[in-house]
Amino acid sequence: MDGRGATADPQLQQFIEIESQKQRFQQLVHQMTEVCWEKCMDKPGPKLDSRTEVCFVNCVERFIDTSQFILNRLEQTQKSRGSFSEAMTD
């Protein structure tokens, strides 16, 4: 081998990243559906009553808000660790 095999094709890397993002999104949707179903659905029927519909809307909104908050907090933590690591190497 000439060493180029160690670095993957950029198109392949991009494809893998996109597929990974799709998988994470599907997992998030599945988790959100499961949590909100357990919280809001008393007894399945042919139609949602208004109370159940409002519960689902609120549940999904809170789930999204919470997920966004956690992602932002993790990003802040990574940035602060990165600046701390850079300061330590100087």
Side-chain angles (χ1 to χ4, degrees):
M1 282 226 246
D2 60 4
R4 287 184 292 185
T7 59
D9 177 26
Q11 288 180 332
L12 178 61
Q13 288 178 338
Q14 183 179 14
F15 174 78
I16 290 170
E17 179 59 32
I18 289 169
E19 291 302 310
S20 295
Q21 288 175 359
K22 287 179 185 178
Q23 181 184 18
R24 287 191 298 270
F25 180 75
Q26 288 296 325
Q27 289 172 334
L28 186 64
V29 168
H30 177 73
Q31 183 182 6
M32 180 179 58
T33 301
E34 189 174 326
V35 167
C36 293
W37 181 270
E38 290 297 320
K39 179 175 175 42
C40 298
M41 186 53 74
D42 293 329
K43 51 186 175 210
K47 291 172 61 174
L48 292 178
D49 61 16
S50 61
R51 184 184 65 79
T52 304
E53 185 176 353
V54 168
C55 181
F56 272 116
V57 168
N58 288 334
C59 181
V60 169
E61 287 176 354
R62 294 300 72 77
F63 193 93
I64 291 170
D65 290 345
T66 302
S67 297
Q68 189 64 46
F69 174 80
I70 291 168
L71 288 173
N72 289 339
R73 181 58 65 104
L74 288 172
E75 187 176 296
Q76 289 173 354
T77 302
Q78 283 182 325
K79 284 180 182 177
S80 67
R81 284 185 180 169
S83 61
F84 177 74
S85 297
E86 289 172 5
M88 295 297 289
T89 58
D90 287 345

